Amino acid sequence: ADSITSTRFNPAERNLIGSTGSDRSITLYDSRASTPLRKLVMNMRNNALAWNPMEPFNLVTANEDHNCYSFDIRKFSRPVHIHKDHVSAVMDVSFSPTGMEFATGSYDRTVRLFKHNEPRSYNVYHTKRMQRIFCARFTADAKFVLSGSDDTNIRIWKAKANQNLGQAMPRQQANADYSEKLLQRYKHAKEIRRIVRHRHVPTAILKASLKKREMDAAEQLKEDRRIKHAKEGAIKKVPARDKPIVKEME
């Protein structure tokens, strides 16, 4: 690569290094060798990489195509999950010490929190004054997320937005636990699911999100029509997880 954009040591295997470069690649190195172990080239450039601290064979990359991609290095040819919701390039990604969620910072001026195995974010943070975000990090106790933005400020966010920071009285804690149990019991109900997923975002991001969704639907419709009207077997349907991959080199 002409330049390396991110480098991270594996938290379990001390000789394993993951890196992203300007040639749109994700590369795995062994520090004891001079050549890469494996190299995966994608359609667009990756800006950052993070290893899962509890499952060190998994990693997540922040991509210029507005998405994050989870990979299992045991089967490196395609992503395991595609994490969507940003409407501009994702600049940084950081795992929680628990390994259950990760935070992303984006050029669209938002910080989003994702579950490690879910495609959509479960929380989003933004302010009127915050500009493009270039870094995001979980604290060691997994209670806060730090973000650094283009307006020269570092902001601290709660990892759980509805959690009280002070000491909770027994009655308050019991009420919070009961509410959580109710939510878990009825989480499959349509209205409960809609309320849990709803988040207020700036108008510009909402419009960009709706436009992006419309463009994706149009692209999918175009592909379906091409397959329908082409000779049988002439055009093969490419799975969504294979589309961002150009080639894998070993």
Side-chain angles (χ1 to χ4, degrees):
D2 294 332
S3 61
I4 303 296
T5 56
S6 176
T7 304
R8 294 287 183 271
F9 273 95
N10 187 284
E13 181 57 59
R14 62 180 182 178
N15 295 310
L16 182 60
I17 305 171
S19 73
T20 59
S22 59
D23 60 352
R24 300 171 293 149
S25 67
I26 308 169
T27 311
L28 300 180
Y29 293 95
D30 189 325
S31 61
R32 297 164 294 186
S34 58
T35 57
L37 297 174
R38 304 181 77 176
K39 187 174 184 179
L40 187 69
V41 181
M42 303 184 68
N43 285 325
M44 299 190 73
R45 187 181 69 186
N46 291 285
N47 293 314
L49 175 148
W51 293 96
N52 188 325
M54 302 307 292
E55 297 177 346
F57 47 83
N58 290 334
L59 61 88
V60 175
T61 62
N63 199 279
E64 285 280 337
D65 65 0
H66 313 172
N67 299 328
C68 290
Y69 297 94
S70 291
F71 290 92
D72 188 328
I73 61 174
R74 297 170 298 182
K75 189 177 180 182
F76 204 46
S77 58
R78 63 187 303 198
V80 179
H81 298 289
I82 301 177
H83 308 278
K84 304 180 178 180
D85 266 348
H86 283 295
V87 296
S88 192
V90 186
M91 304 305 295
D92 198 16
V93 58
S94 173
F95 258 102
S96 164
T98 63
M100 299 302 295
E101 59 266 334
F102 60 88
T104 59
S106 172
Y107 220 66
D108 62 10
R109 298 176 295 178
T110 62
V111 176
R112 289 185 181 270
L113 303 181
F114 292 83
K115 296 293 185 182
H116 75 288
N117 57 355
E118 293 184 3
R120 300 288 180 179
S121 62
Y122 69 89
N123 217 339
V124 56
Y125 297 110
H126 56 86
T127 67
K128 288 184 178 180
R129 296 178 182 270
M130 186 164 66
Q131 297 301 311
R132 296 164 295 193
I133 299 168
F134 290 99
C135 58
R137 286 288 181 274
F138 261 98
T139 56
D141 58 3
K143 292 183 178 180
F144 300 96
V145 177
L146 283 72
S147 67
S149 54
D150 208 17
D151 56 5
T152 70
N153 289 323
I154 297 175
R155 291 178 171 84
I156 303 176
W157 314 88
K158 290 192 291 185
K160 293 184 179 180
N162 62 347
Q163 187 178 26
N164 291 326
L165 294 180
Q167 183 69 32
M169 300 294 291
R171 185 175 179 180
Q172 292 175 316
Q173 188 61 46
N175 184 42
D177 293 341
Y178 179 68
S179 299
E180 184 65 27
K181 288 180 180 179
L182 282 178
L183 183 60
Q184 291 298 319
R185 181 174 182 179
Y186 296 104
K187 64 181 179 180
H188 301 294
K190 183 178 179 181
E191 286 300 312
I192 299 298
R193 190 166 64 247
R194 182 188 65 82
I195 293 171
V196 170
R197 292 183 58 185
H198 180 72
R199 293 291 183 274
H200 289 286
V201 294
T203 304
I205 294 177
L206 178 61
K207 289 182 177 179
S209 179
L210 294 175
K211 185 177 181 180
K212 183 180 177 183
R213 194 178 306 168
E214 184 179 347
M215 291 170 63
D216 290 344
E219 187 67 28
Q220 184 63 45
L221 181 61
K222 179 180 178 181
E223 183 181 354
D224 292 341
R225 286 176 175 173
R226 286 183 62 203
I227 295 174
K228 180 179 179 180
H229 296 288
K231 186 177 179 180
E232 186 176 355
I235 302 176
K236 294 184 179 180
K237 192 174 182 67
V238 180
R241 289 189 292 168
D242 290 338
K243 288 181 179 179
I245 306 301
V246 176
K247 61 180 178 179
E248 181 187 10
M249 296 181 290
E250 294 189 7

